Amino acid sequence: MAHILIIDDESCFTDMLSTMVGDMGHHVTSAYSIEDGMQKASMQPFDIVLLDVQLPDGSGLDLLPKIQALPSSPEVIIITGYGNPDGAELAIKNGAWDYIQKPFSIYTMTLLLVRALQYREAKHSNRMPFLLKRCGIVGNSNKMESCLELLASAAANEANVLIMGETGTGKELFARAIHKNSKRAQNSFIIVDCAALPSTIVESVLFGHEKGVFTGADKHRDGLIKQADGGTLFLDEVGELPLSTQKAFLRVLQERSFRPIGSKMEIKSDFRLVAATNRNLEDMVNTGSFRNDLLFRLRTITIELPPLKEHIEDIKELVFYYIAKLCGRYGNDIKGFSPDFLEALITYDWPGNIRELVHTLERALAIAHDESTLFPKHLPMDIRIKLVRANIEPVEANTSKKQAAGRALFLRMEDFRKNMDKEYLHDLIARVGNNIKEACRLSGLSRSHLYSLLKEYNISKPE
Amino acid sequence: MLVIILLFKGVIEDMAFLFYTNSSGKTKKQLQEIIHARMPGEEMEVYRTFDSLSNRLLRPLEGLSVAVLLVSSMEDLSNILTLCNVLWDMRLILILPDRNHETIMKGHQLRPRFLTHADCNPTEVAEVLCNMLKKYTQMRPF
């Protein structure tokens, strides 16, 4: 039984609608003005609000956002005696379930109510569990939220899932999170790294084999499909599966049973399938390197993970998370980072996605050593160079005269290197003061080599 | 044959991986020999005790992304499982001491990319290792 609130100032219409909704088995409350409606709406939760536009104390459309902000967040159906396309558009844009014009048939209203209630039920059943185990998935950007909603939906049922995304976007994390949030969480999560398995053993690894069935089969082997019984089978890089194996695996998906190589017995396995790829499987289907019928089976639910550059607003949270994780691994105090360090990370385009970010943070922490705060200078050289180049390239492109002048003054490489060496040595001495031992440690130079360079460039030696 | 080996070496010469074994069985010897033969240019960091493995994983990985763990016993496996929180970004090849269901299920808790047994064909492990090293180096655009 649903709770329906009718807000309409026409009492005969409200009575007729109340009777109709009551006959459908729902509980009805009536209100005749905005004030009355808002008061009743805030006193108890409602599933649906049927809202008139023309009310004695204002427009029902103004009430719409307030109703939607209620804790029960009811679906709102706008009812009006005056056809107004703009008003209808506004209502829908503001999140109304539908807009209906009087007069309408009982059948139309019944259908509308049934659909709205079905939608509401589906929405609640698909809603992300309050305590979704994120299993290391970080980020609350709109793109990540959408992926998490799909994750929650996938975890709630048994459908096959295909996770797509560039390398380093977290496909395995998502696969594991689906498993951990599913009813199979207590059973095994079995990974099949399709790209790592040589084609000669992939079927044996998946299906298992009997002893002596081929050269090298000295022992019986249980396949991973059997090991995944009751749990989740994760086919990573599924696009790398050989065509012959794709055909055999398709049969397993259809029948949930298989025959180990050399065996006469069919074995059943109740596994849930999650697959992942960084390749365009549709293109592979078009070129004949991936089976269309398998792709059709794999993508009952598809989750497309965005590259990091498309949810860069998550980078701060990612940096906090992974710095804490990495410092925890090394037993160090958690380091902070400067605003320009974060700015540099935001500016970079992360072709290797989150995995590249994690490696970068690891390298920055190693470079920073015992300094408590990370600065852009702690970023690996290759990233700093890319950032600098990205900053100066547009200027170079627009200054052809400057370029011409620059060419005239272009240094010989030997001279350029000498200038750089001299600058480096000045910086080094400025940093270490009189501590020659520290200068040798930082520069990696021997004491004698360092002294000879200082002499060559006429730089005062530390005492 | 020589050409093939050299080409192969060219692909993987700057790769490194970690090899843990505290077992003294023939698998360890066979595996090391075949890895050396297949990947003459590899950098293999070998750890022969659980403590040394544990200490290594508490230091920066510096490019190490693949580990071969040759587990000697159920106790050894239980110990390795305590390192789960520092193995999160390593791809594991796990070689289990036996084929018991309990051992296998416990082994999967480490989320290995390849799981096999001590009495396996070592060539198989070496091939998977080669593929993983090639793949994870090619995948790194940085």
Side-chain angles (χ1 to χ4, degrees), chain A residues 281-326:
Chain A
L281 294 184
E282 284 189 355
D283 282 354
M284 291 182 72
V285 167
N286 292 335
T287 57
S289 51
F290 202 84
R291 290 181 69 100
N292 194 25
D293 43 11
L294 180 59
L295 175 59
F296 178 76
R297 287 258 169 192
L298 294 181
R299 62 177 180 193
T300 313
I301 296 175
T302 302
I303 303 177
E304 208 164 338
L305 300 182
L308 181 52
K309 65 184 172 198
E310 288 182 15
H311 61 114
I312 209 78
E313 59 269 44
D314 287 328
I315 213 158
K316 189 174 180 182
E317 200 181 335
L318 282 162
V319 171
F320 272 121
Y321 178 83
Y322 281 107
I323 284 182
K325 193 158 181 159
L326 290 164

Side-chain angles (χ1 to χ4, degrees), chain A residues 14-30:
Chain A
T14 308
D15 291 346
M16 183 272 294
L17 206 52
S18 297
T19 307
M20 188 202 91
V21 175
D23 287 347
M24 288 171 72
H26 303 306
H27 183 269
V28 189
T29 304
S30 301

Side-chain angles (χ1 to χ4, degrees), chain A residues 44 54 81 83 119 187 190 209 222 289 408-409:
Chain A
Q44 69 170 99
Q54 297 283 339
Y119 166 77
N187 297 321
I190 309 285
H209 64 244
D222 277 341
S289 51
L409 296 169

